[in-house]
Amino acid sequence: DRHPEPQFEPDPTKKTLVILGTGWGSVALLKKLDTENYNVVVVSPRNYFLFTPLLPSCTTGTIEHRSIMEPVRTILRHKKAAVKFYEAEASSIDPDRKVIKIVDNSEIQGATSETEIPYDMLVIGVGAENATFGIPGVREHSCFLKEIGDAQQIRKKIMDCVETAAFKGQTSDEIDRLMHMVVVGGGPTGVEFAGELQDFFEEDIKKLVPEISPRFKVTLIEALPNVLPSFSKQLIDYTENTFREEKIDIKTKTMVKRVTDTTVEAEVSRPDGGKERVVIPYGLLVWATGNAVRPIVKDLITKIPAQKDSRRGLAVNEYLVVQGTRDIWAVGDCAVAGYAPTAQVASQEGNFLGRLFNNMAKTENHESRIQELSSKMNLQAGDSAEAAHEIESLEKQLRRIKDIKPFRYSHQGSLAYIGSEKAVADVSWWNGNLATGGSLTYLFWRSAYLSMCFSTRNRVLVILDWLKSKAFGRDVSRE
Ligand code: FAD
Ligand code: NAD
């Protein structure tokens, strides 16, 4: 099915729908949307969709990064009507003039790298950025784990630490520091990354650098009393016990306050209520303390009076309309709809908007046809019976279409990989909940994530990567 991308020609009779972002929310919307009904324009600095659930596996080379990326142009090629894509960042939104400003911040720029795009309808799906809480040193010295580039950087740094630790005459303290991998944030991102790292150590590093491998250590730091706060107590205990067996050191009730190029400084709450300052030397530091609001969203919040109390993103109503606006919708991590910032929520929201917009277009088509028929009826009495019949049937359909229920999230469960071929799952099971952990859950985790992959191509690549790293070990070349 390698047909060329259809040509984009804006139709002045149709509304222009601008979609920001190519993440879980926006891509789910694009998948569902009948693009024939609108002039669709997509703007994102990333010209691909990223399957984030398998991103932690890219940090150690269990999965190669391109296996979880899907080019947006490939996705758009399959749409009925052409969609315009601009690889650019939206830098500001003007809700009064109904235009957005876009900037090409990529390495190569042409004579024009900044322009404006008008919209009739706007969907904001720009996600979130990494929270640092203004803690000094975090941005300068740690790696995040959100984008492909982050995973690549981590993969390089792990091996750089190991190779530097193996350098001739390295001091003992320095070997310990370099081989110490510290993860801050015990949410699912931090936990999954720590698990992957320990697997890498057990399955590959141990064999490849046996002389220094006993010094390899993973520490997970969490401010709260336990990791995975959103999972059930049973699974928290299971994860913490598994980590203990795997020799991953979990430091809970430990709040990082400052980061230098070689150390993490944290405040530990002691059982007697006192506080203690600790300094932890590290070779690699991965920062996974959750989400913060992107500047473009912050800026828009200041322009809409009804959003004055919004702190964590754009407050939306039950149809995902940004409160205080009529033609702006928001999905995913940048929207506050009362759900957790997950891929599951973002994709269901995107899917909902796709259906909503398809319905809105149908409604408009039906309404204009009804108008056309009724004016005809007044002019030509002869045809009126037929026209009345059609109007009746159109009105019936309209009532059905217009009866769009508000967005309701349906939780399919939470899954997380915790290393050594074990996973934890909180899933809805018929009418009850099932909390499970272990190797069977791991197989379930693998098949669930495989089935969720964007395309067959992604699915095949991921399976091949799993087989490849099992058969030959992970590729530790530092490129
Ligand atoms: P994103 O998917 O982050 O997409 C945002 C898009 O907007 C990107 O294309 C970005 O380039 C673009 N963008 C950014 N700024 C601009 C701008 N100014 N203008 C235009 N475009 C812009 N959730 C789960 O449910 N299950 C999981 O297993 C899971 N695993 C995860 C693992 C990791 C390592 C991470 C980091 C997250 C994970 N999540 C998981 C959470 C999930 O990835 C997010 O909730 C989800 O990506 C949110 O979707 P989104 O569409 O809001 O944003
Ligand atoms: P998170 O917000 O879930 O967890 C961040 C953790 O960092 C919190 O437990 C917080 O207490 C801790 N923290 C914050 N500041 C700290 C400090 N200074 N020192 C020590 N600890 C500190 O973040 P996340 O794990 O990146 O997840 C973000 C979102 O993505 C969540 O909604 C999550 O459910 C979703 N996600 C889901 C999966 C999955 O389902 N497998 C995987 C990754 C992410």
Side-chain angles (χ1 to χ4, degrees):
D1 56 352
R2 305 192 124 265
H3 53 86
E5 190 177 328
Q7 287 302 303
F8 177 81
E9 273 171 34
D11 175 345
T13 65
K14 291 177 186 168
K15 285 186 172 164
T16 298
L17 167 63
V18 175
I19 301 170
L20 305 185
T22 45
W24 279 96
S26 302
V27 165
L29 158 62
L30 276 169
K31 247 175 149 177
K32 195 84 201 164
L33 187 70
D34 183 349
T35 52
E36 281 183 320
N37 295 325
Y38 302 95
N39 298 313
V40 184
V41 180
V42 178
V43 177
S44 176
R46 205 173 77 183
N47 81 344
Y48 55 89
F49 166 75
L50 173 63
F51 186 74
T52 47
L54 288 175
L55 190 61
S57 303
C58 290
T59 59
T60 58
T62 312
I63 287 178
E64 294 295 338
H65 61 276
R66 285 194 178 267
S67 306
I68 58 165
M69 294 158 71
E70 185 71 18
V72 70
R73 292 196 182 272
T74 317
I75 301 171
L76 298 180
R77 203 183 65 199
H78 296 285
K79 298 308 295 181
K80 262 201 234 153
V83 172
K84 192 81 212 161
F85 173 71
Y86 296 118
E87 191 191 68
E89 223 170 273
S91 58
S92 73
I93 298 165
D94 185 337
D96 298 324
R97 284 174 52 229
K98 293 178 73 165
V99 292
I100 60 164
K101 197 184 264 176
I102 67 165
V103 190
D104 176 5
N105 281 326
S106 67
E107 231 166 85
I108 298 177
Q109 287 164 10
T112 309
S113 62
E114 199 174 324
T115 186
E116 280 190 346
I117 302 181
Y119 66 81
D120 297 305
M121 296 157 75
L122 176 67
V123 177
I124 307 176
V126 297
E129 60 175 34
N130 296 290
T132 65
F133 307 103
I135 296 170
V138 175
R139 279 203 190 279
E140 298 85 320
H141 305 300
S142 58
C143 299
F144 296 116
L145 181 50
K146 195 165 188 65
E147 297 291 342
I148 274 297
D150 300 333
Q152 286 172 303
Q153 193 192 15
I154 293 173
R155 189 171 173 186
K156 251 190 215 175
K157 278 201 174 177
I158 298 171
M159 280 323 291
D160 201 357
C161 284
V162 172
E163 298 294 5
T164 309
F167 189 78
K168 187 178 175 202
Q170 200 61 276
T171 65
S172 181
D173 282 354
E174 198 59 350
I175 295 176
D176 280 338
R177 177 183 76 81
L178 289 162
M179 295 289 271
H180 192 199
M181 313 279 139
V182 174
V183 186
V184 181
T189 304
V191 165
E192 289 193 320
F193 172 64
E196 293 278 353
L197 205 47
Q198 191 66 20
D199 282 358
F200 186 29
F201 166 67
E202 287 294 339
E203 292 161 21
D204 298 288
I205 295 181
K206 246 182 175 175
K207 287 183 222 149
L208 299 172
V209 278
E211 66 285 7
I212 52 165
S213 71
R215 321 278 279 269
F216 190 89
K217 191 175 145 200
V218 179
T219 299
L220 179 63
I221 301 179
E222 167 57 53
L224 297 174
N226 57 265
V227 298
L228 292 182
S230 59
F231 282 67
S232 63
K233 169 92 178 63
Q234 184 194 340
L235 293 181
I236 291 171
D237 291 345
Y238 183 82
T239 305
E240 294 190 347
N241 289 335
T242 306
F243 273 18
R244 227 162 274 136
E245 280 165 24
E246 289 173 6
K247 310 235 160 24
I248 296 175
D249 189 12
I250 303 185
K251 289 191 191 305
T252 50
K253 298 187 186 164
T254 305
M255 167 96 75
V256 173
K257 296 280 187 183
R258 204 170 94 91
V259 170
T260 72
D261 56 346
T262 53
T263 59
V264 161
E265 295 175 24
E267 197 174 75
V268 185
S269 306
R270 287 197 313 252
D272 65 5
K275 299 243 193 269
E276 192 185 333
R277 196 93 176 178
V278 293
V279 176
I280 305 164
Y282 72 83
L284 171 78
L285 176 64
V286 171
W287 193 266
T289 63
N291 291 346
V293 181
R294 285 202 192 276
I296 182 165
V297 172
K298 272 192 202 154
D299 178 58
L300 181 62
I301 285 173
T302 64
K303 292 177 182 162
I304 304 169
Q307 295 282 338
K308 70 176 188 335
D309 296 325
S310 300
R311 296 283 170 274
R312 293 170 47 219
L314 290 158
V316 292
N317 72 10
E318 72 271 36
Y319 288 91
L320 308 179
V321 178
V322 173
Q323 306 270 16
T325 72
R326 293 194 56 202
D327 29 40
I328 308 181
W329 288 258
V331 287
D333 287 2
C334 67
V336 179
Y339 308 108
T342 66
Q344 243 187 97
V345 170
S347 61
Q348 286 184 30
E349 288 176 342
N351 190 292
F352 169 83
L353 277 195
R355 276 186 288 128
L356 183 75
F357 293 166
N358 292 347
N359 271 357
M360 279 165 60
K362 259 194 225 155
T363 312
E364 276 176 25
N365 287 345
H366 279 36
E367 275 169 352
S368 53
R369 176 78 183 138
I370 291 174
Q371 232 167 30
E372 192 187 314
L373 285 169
S374 27
S375 53
K376 239 198 218 159
M377 256 167 72
N378 297 338
L379 293 175
Q380 310 161 328
D383 293 337
S384 66
E386 209 174 298
H389 188 68
E390 192 179 341
I391 289 177
E392 195 185 318
S393 123
L394 283 170
E395 277 177 343
K396 214 192 250 165
Q397 285 178 37
L398 251 185
R399 271 195 299 278
R400 225 183 27 240
I401 298 170
K402 274 192 169 167
D403 185 28
I404 306 170
K405 303 267 183 310
F407 173 71
R408 271 202 50 212
Y409 169 60
S410 135
H411 187 59
Q412 306 295 306
S414 310
L415 267 174
Y417 179 60
I418 59 171
S420 62
E421 305 201 339
K422 287 178 183 158
V424 287
D426 262 326
V427 281
S428 312
W429 204 258
W430 286 295
N431 288 326
N433 277 330
L434 182 73
T436 131
S439 304
L440 260 184
T441 315
Y442 169 67
L443 289 179
F444 174 63
W445 173 83
R446 278 205 158 176
S447 39
Y449 278 18
L450 258 192
S451 71
M452 279 156 36
C453 274
F454 186 86
S455 60
T456 310
R457 186 186 73 94
N458 283 158
R459 229 163 272 144
V460 171
L461 292 176
V462 166
I463 293 175
L464 290 177
D465 287 344
W466 275 334
L467 292 173
K468 207 170 66 183
S469 54
K470 195 88 204 158
F472 306 112
R474 294 167 180 83
D475 181 350
V476 296
S477 337
R478 196 175 71 80
E479 35 117 28

